[in-house]
Amino acid sequence: MKRLSYERKKSMTGRAFILVWVIGVLVFFVVPFIRTVFYSLNTLNFRTLETSPAGAAYFSRLFTKDTGFLQNLSTVLMNLLYEVPIIVLFSLFIAVLLNQKFAGRLFFRAVFFLPVVVMSGVVFTLLRQDVQSADIMQQTGSGTAAFSNLTLLSDLLSSFGFGESLIDFISQVVDRVIDTAWKSGVQILLCLAGLQSISIGLYEAARMEGATKWEEFWKITFPMVTPVLLVSVIYTIIDSFTANGNVMMAYINNVSFQNFEYSYGCAMSLTYCGVMLVIIGVVAGVIGRSVTYTER
C-alpha cells in the first residue's frame, strides 16, 4: 500500500476531530431543533403520543393571550440590561488586577475560576436558597438585625440625597455582587488571555513617549482587548438567557412538563431563542463597529 503523506495524515486527523463535533451538533442540536419546530406547529397528545396540526396558533397565543410569557420575558430583558455590563466590566477589572505581577496571583486566578470548574448551576441555586433561608431565620430570631443590615446602604444613600430609582439600582448591584463574582469566571479568563496577548513592546514605546498608566489603558489595553470583550458580552448574554433559575426558563419548564402543554412549550422555546439571537445580532453589530482587529 502506498504510504500516506504527512499532509494527508494531518488532514485525516483534523477531520476526525471535527467529526466528533459534527456528530454532537447533529444529535444534540439539529435533531432536537427540528423536532421542536415540528411540535410547535402540531399538538402533541401525551396519552396517545399522536399529533394533530395546529399551525401558528401557539405562536399567536404567546402575544395575544399569555400575559405570563411577556411579563417573564420583560423581566429577563431588564435583568440583562444591567447584568451584562456589570459582569463584563467586573471581569475586565479583575483580569487587569490578575495580570499584574504579585505574590500568589496563581492562587487568586484559581479562586475566581474555581466556581466554573467545581460548582454547577443547580448547586449554586441551592446555595443561594440556603443563604436566603439563613437570612429569614436571622430576621425572625433577632428581630431587626438582618433588616438593618439590608437597609443600611439605602439609608446611607438617602442621607446623601440620592433619588429612589438610583438607590434601588445601586442596591440591586450590591445584592448581586456574589452572583457577579460567581458568573464571571469564564469572562475573566477570556479577558486575561486577551491582556496577555498584547505585545509588551507597545507599553515600552508608550512609556518612552511619557504616557501615563491611565493613557496606556485607554490607548493600548482597552482597544486591544475589544475583540475579547465582544466575545465576553455575547457569552454573558447567552449565559444570562439560559441560566439555571431564570424565570423564563422556569416558566417554559412549568408549562411543558407540569401543565403537559409540550407543544406550547416548544413554541415558547423557539420564540425565546429567536429573541436571544436577535439581541446577540444587534449587540454584535453595534459593538463590532468599535472592535479593533490587528495583525499579531
Side-chain angles (χ1 to χ4, degrees):
M1 294 179 63
K2 189 176 180 179
R3 297 184 61 183
L4 296 176
S5 65
Y6 176 69
E7 293 296 331
R8 181 64 175 173
K9 290 180 180 180
K10 285 178 57 179
S11 176
M12 293 181 62
T13 303
R15 292 177 181 177
F17 277 102
I18 296 176
L19 182 62
V20 177
W21 179 84
V22 171
I23 294 175
V25 171
L26 291 175
V27 175
F28 297 108
F29 177 76
V30 175
V31 173
F33 179 78
I34 294 175
R35 295 176 71 91
T36 301
V37 174
F38 173 78
Y39 286 127
S40 67
L41 301 175
N42 296 269
T43 301
L44 174 65
N45 190 326
F46 269 93
R47 294 181 178 178
T48 61
L49 297 180
E50 296 179 351
T51 58
S52 58
Y58 291 119
F59 293 96
S60 176
R61 175 182 168 185
L62 286 174
F63 301 100
T64 58
K65 298 180 180 180
D66 192 350
T67 57
F69 175 80
L70 295 178
Q71 182 179 359
N72 290 323
L73 181 61
S74 62
T75 301
V76 172
L77 296 179
M78 290 301 297
N79 291 337
L80 197 69
L81 288 177
Y82 63 85
E83 187 176 72
V84 173
I86 290 173
I87 291 178
V88 174
L89 293 178
F90 175 81
S91 301
L92 179 61
F93 174 74
I94 297 299
V96 171
L97 295 180
L98 294 178
N99 195 42
Q100 306 299 318
K101 294 183 179 180
F102 59 90
R105 65 173 181 171
L106 293 178
F107 170 76
F108 287 103
R109 289 178 182 180
V111 167
F112 279 101
F113 194 71
L114 188 63
V116 180
V117 179
V118 178
M119 303 292 282
S120 66
V122 176
V123 176
F124 181 59
T125 301
L126 295 175
L127 180 61
R128 290 186 59 188
Q129 292 176 353
D130 291 340
V131 172
Q132 294 174 356
S133 300
D135 289 340
I136 295 174
M137 292 177 63
Q138 185 178 1
Q139 290 182 24
T140 56
S142 59
T144 59
F147 180 76
S148 299
N149 292 331
L150 293 174
T151 58
L152 179 61
L153 178 62
S154 300
D155 294 339
L156 180 62
L157 294 176
S158 298
S159 63
F160 285 101
F162 290 98
E164 293 184 1
S165 58
L166 181 60
I167 293 175
D168 292 339
F169 175 78
I170 296 177
S171 298
Q172 291 178 2
V173 171
V174 174
D175 290 340
R176 291 177 176 267
V177 167
I178 298 178
D179 288 2
T180 301
W182 279 82
K183 294 178 180 179
S184 303
V186 174
Q187 294 87 329
I188 292 174
L189 186 65
L190 290 173
C191 292
L192 189 60
L195 291 173
Q196 292 180 347
S197 66
I198 302 176
S199 175
I200 301 178
L202 296 176
Y203 293 104
E204 293 177 349
R207 295 190 190 100
M208 292 178 63
E209 295 293 334
T212 62
K213 291 292 184 181
W214 183 256
E215 291 173 338
E216 288 180 6
F217 177 81
W218 288 109
K219 298 296 183 179
I220 300 176
T221 304
F222 187 79
M224 296 295 286
V225 298
T226 48
V228 177
L229 291 179
L230 176 59
V231 175
S232 299
V233 170
I234 294 176
Y235 176 86
T236 307
I237 292 175
I238 298 174
D239 187 57
S240 178
F241 265 90
T242 59
N244 186 52
N246 185 299
V247 292
M248 193 70 244
M249 298 290 289
Y251 184 71
I252 294 175
N253 290 333
N254 181 66
V255 170
S256 302
F257 303 109
Q258 294 188 13
N259 297 344
F260 299 104
E261 295 184 90
Y262 187 76
S263 297
Y264 184 49
C266 290
M268 282 195 293
S269 299
L270 292 175
T271 305
Y272 187 57
C273 181
V275 172
M276 180 179 65
L277 293 178
V278 169
I279 293 177
I280 292 175
V282 172
V283 170
V286 173
I287 301 180
R289 299 178 181 178
S290 303
V291 173
T292 302
Y293 295 101
T294 59
E295 294 292 337
R296 300 190 185 278

